[in-house]
Amino acid sequence: MNTTTRHAPGRLQRLMMAGAVALAGGLSSAPVLAETTLRITHFLPSVASVQRGVLAPWCDDLEERSDHEIRCQIYPSMQLGGIPSQLPDMVRNGVVDIVWTALGYSAGRFPRSEALELPFMLPAGGVAGSRIAWEFTQGPASEDFSDYHVLAVHSDGGAVFHSRPRAIRGIEDMEGLKLRAPTRMASRLIDSLGASAVSMPPAQITDTLAKGVIDGASAGWEVVPPTKLAEVTHNHTESAPHQATPTVTVLAFLMNKESYDQLPEKAREALDELSGEVLSRRFGQAWDDAIEPVRTRLQNDPEQTVIALDDNTYEAMRDASRSVTEAWMASNDGGIDRAALVRSLESIAKSHTLPPE
């Protein structure tokens, strides 16, 4: 990967190339070619499906659509420094041009969008959840993103409980387990189900599990290959296709506002055409494409057990976690009408998941 140092980190870079040819009677300059290089960073390895399945091909499309006015440099695994929770600050402050980040990793930064992570709120699946997440964050939760130019918002497809000491078949199996939680809402969900939540980013899951510090993890299917999670857990519990997922990790592709505003008009038009709802769905589809092979591989592995929640367990978990949603709605932090946000989200989710009458 090309990681050539750029001048003035945090501002849009333009690499100018000029040539001149001597002509009889004077000097004439050749046309100047400008290239905008967007620095993109994220927290997963380069082998993860986010880079291979979305970021790299999106950058190729952007370069072609803009007639090569835009190119990208991608820095995976936080190669430019910092920790995942700092990604929103990095892009807002212009350290990079674009970040791909999990909103819940920066607790409290996107308070309205937390509604998406509440227990059993969204359907499982990348495309299904991403359509809802995009509409909600561009409408009722749009104030969360006033400091950014939002390129996409999407779902990770929904939480799966990966456990080692025992399979989670009923709510009683959660009792006493220490489970990794990706977000604050996931922590509250896990605690409400009788387990103990331990917050940590994906990169720490496998080593922490191997050392016995935790007993399992809440993580989407897509995280399993890059973190080698199946090497240290052998039981994987998910919601059934007709059920809502226990929680989601909401991910966003955020751009520095100044970087966006400084783009040449044609380049900005190309970026707009490839972003927004169409890019959110593209992320969601990439997640769906990544989920099924992982699930199928583990289902066919005699050393692995994949479990879908039965309806009784599903209802028991929903009942046990209802207090999480009620407490979130009752909070007055920031003067936000959280109950109204939940009602709006439920309406949006219903419009996307129910067939027309």
Side-chain angles (χ1 to χ4, degrees), residues 265-292:
E265 182 178 357
K266 185 174 182 179
R268 190 165 57 247
E269 289 176 356
L271 184 76
D272 291 344
E273 290 173 2
L274 293 170
S275 304
E277 184 178 5
V278 66
L279 181 55
S280 299
R281 290 176 61 89
R282 184 172 183 171
F283 273 109
Q285 188 60 60
W287 255 247
D288 284 340
D289 292 344
I291 286 169
E292 195 53 43

Side-chain angles (χ1 to χ4, degrees), residues 15 37 49 83-84 117 155 157 177 181 196 206 209 223 234 257 279 287 308 352:
L15 306 178
T37 301
S49 63
I83 57 178
E117 301 169 354
S155 165
L177 293 179
S196 298
T206 303
L209 262 163
V223 172
H234 303 286
K257 277 190 166 183
L279 181 55
W287 255 247
H352 283 286

Side-chain angles (χ1 to χ4, degrees), residues 131-259:
R131 292 171 63 196
I132 296 167
W134 174 255
E135 183 172 339
F136 182 71
T137 55
Q138 298 311 292
S142 60
E143 287 184 52
D144 282 356
F145 303 94
S146 59
D147 292 334
Y148 310 93
H149 180 76
V150 184
L151 298 175
V153 180
H154 70 102
S155 165
D156 71 339
V160 180
F161 295 128
H162 310 272
S163 59
R164 184 169 61 175
R166 60 178 177 268
I168 299 173
R169 300 181 184 276
I171 193 170
E172 65 279 359
D173 295 320
M174 298 283 289
E175 190 69 32
L177 293 179
K178 291 177 290 184
L179 300 179
R180 173 262 182 175
T183 66
R184 181 165 61 179
M185 286 298 107
S187 292
R188 295 174 182 176
L189 165 70
I190 289 169
D191 290 342
S192 74
L193 299 180
S196 298
V198 181
S199 298
M200 69 181 66
Q204 298 177 11
I205 297 174
T206 303
D207 185 58
T208 310
L209 262 163
K211 293 177 179 178
V213 177
I214 57 176
D215 303 306
S218 170
W221 284 114
E222 188 272 339
V223 172
V224 173
T227 61
K228 300 182 180 179
L229 186 53
E231 294 182 9
V232 289
T233 61
H234 303 286
N235 306 293
H236 315 274
T237 302
E238 63 178 348
S239 53
H242 64 284
Q243 300 166 349
T245 186
T247 186
V248 302
T249 298
V250 181
L251 301 128
F253 203 37
L254 305 176
M255 186 171 186
N256 177 271
K257 277 190 166 183
E258 186 175 344
S259 295

